[in-house]
Amino acid sequence: MNAWDELVERCAIRRRRKIGPLSDEAYQELLLAVRADPESFVDTTMERAVLLMARALDAYRASCRDDDLLDDDAYEAERTRRISALHAECVRAREIDESSLDANLMQLLTSEFDPDPLLEGLIGLERDFASDEPPEGDAWDDVFYRPHLRLRAAVARTCLDGARYRMAQSAAASVMDACPTDPLGARHTYALACARLEDERELNAVDARFSRRESAWSHLARTLLLYKLDRMGASTRALRGFDRLCAGGAYALLRPTFVEAYFPDRPDAPACSFEESVLAVREAEPIIADVPDFIPWCQGQEWLVESARRFAESRDLGW
């Protein structure tokens, strides 16, 4: 969530509605003015809540930067502190504007991490903030509708975490249908659900829908699906693709790394980067756990182990 950009857009749209029709050029000038000093344009409780969350998210992300310097105990203490601080700010934002879906969502995400009660809470938010049909065209273009898309994407990911794969597939599909550009990456959740359900037809369909745009999720999902279908030659080729095309993919798979919870959505990462590989493996954990022979099979591929070792040495990572 880029809260600052959304705050700018919200403030600019409200100001445009207040002063009347503007030419495209005039509206661009207004956007520049708001972007230069967004706080001076904040007038409503909704905007104040977004402003508070923007500052809180900045502080949270800044506090993550030195985690590598901490030992385990210090890291756990720091992580607890920063999530508690973020939660407290989300509570404040909700008190400013109870109608802020993002504040309600963030308050829930920073207080509950177990998939079952979290999903119950998310579905409760969908019920409490039920909206009309998504705007025509790409719903992401409507900045005021984006919280509903973030909530639905969170439902999809939580369903995947809780082994509710058909629900995850359905929720992710609804996000993709509402915003075809898929800035929230619902297609990644959908691909992993397809892998667990051994739904090759739908995995192929979502790949085609997004012009076979490669990602760590698409490569890992196909590897898992083919392995589950016992098509070992094809699965080996897919695993080689994951290793070759996703930086550090072998290392991410064989040495999974702890990933912070998403507040409120999946962090941005370059396509097929190491960061993306780490996220994909983390999200695939429930599926990998259901296929207990998969990791031993991967560990038995000497070329994969060697690739992971080389990557670890190049990044000075533990092996």
Side-chain angles (χ1 to χ4, degrees), residues 13 20 45 63 65 107 194 225 288 309:
I13 289 172
T45 57
S63 71
R65 291 172 186 160
Q107 181 178 338
C194 289
L225 182 144
I288 293 172
R309 182 183 292 109

Side-chain angles (χ1 to χ4, degrees), residues 2 5-6 9-10 101-102 139-151 184:
N2 192 326
D5 280 357
E6 294 196 13
E9 192 169 350
R10 284 169 178 262
L101 176 50
D102 276 328
W140 190 254
D141 293 338
D142 184 345
V143 69
F144 300 102
Y145 194 80
R146 288 180 191 176
H148 295 279
L149 298 171
R150 278 191 280 270
L151 172 56
L184 293 172

